[in-house]
Amino acid sequence: MVEFHCSMNRLLTLTVAFSTLFVAGCSKSPEKTSPPAGATTTTTGSAQGLKEIIKEDLVVGKPSEFVPKMAPASLGDRLYVRYKGYFINGATFDRNDSDGNVYAVTLGNAEVIKGWDEGLIGMQIGGKRKLSVPWIKGYGEAGDRNIPAKTDLFFDVELVDMVKYKMEKTYDIIDRVKGTGREVKRGDTVTVDYEMRAAGQSRIIDSTKIQGGKTMTFQVGTDEMIIAVEDACVGMKLGGVREARLPAGLCRVQAQGLAGVPSETVWYVKLKLLAVK
């Protein structure tokens, strides 16, 4: 089952192996570069003479239900996206929109091409946007691997989730079911059913059901598991169901043997309080 333990800096790393989450110690975020030019292209593009970035919103997103007043994407925000990159002739040069994973990027941090740093501003969660990027804000005069020099690029981008600047260690909760009886307080020992899923995915990565009915029992406020999850239990009542939204700054997952599990994303943990003492 899921064993949650907190490290000194309260950053948890979990290892996902065959639908089971085990502690693996802390890790840093993976290094990010410009959207990689994959090796899937059989034909190349050429300079098309775009003068500026063109942004076309195919689907307008909205704030997270956990953060109703969340502002649109801006510089400094951490975005989790799925995308397809292609040339004017339609040939795809890179994509991650078919394997369930997400690509993480901090806007304005020079982790991606300027066409992305500028073109993703203003998006909301669930939004889908087509970007037309002039070569000067793409890979420039030199090109990159299988991107020819001075080539305009096109991207279909979906914003799966995002974490606002300086909110990397902030979690949010929603009560799905209120429950009855006294409220959980720090120092109480609780037993919960749980489910865990990644942003933008409906499938459950790990749960009491997947683990053959094994529940989790822990003492709230003793750092036995993810701090945010312990904190999220405070105020729950027996039979209550609460869901917590956890940024990657509070919970990281390393996938081993389970396809489509992002190494970094926003995680959602749903808890049902079965017992408290």
Side-chain angles (χ1 to χ4, degrees), residues 216-236:
M216 291 194 302
T217 299
F218 55 91
Q219 187 175 12
V220 177
T222 58
D223 296 2
E224 294 181 29
M225 57 181 299
I226 299 175
I227 299 298
V229 173
E230 288 193 14
D231 288 348
C233 291
V234 175
M236 289 187 72

Side-chain angles (χ1 to χ4, degrees), residues 34-35 53 107-108 110-121 131 133-139:
S34 299
I53 298 171
L107 287 187
E111 298 175 3
V112 290
I113 58 175
K114 289 183 178 179
W116 270 38
D117 267 341
E118 298 176 18
L120 300 185
I121 290 175
L131 292 180
V133 179
W135 63 266
I136 196 169
K137 293 192 175 182
Y139 290 94

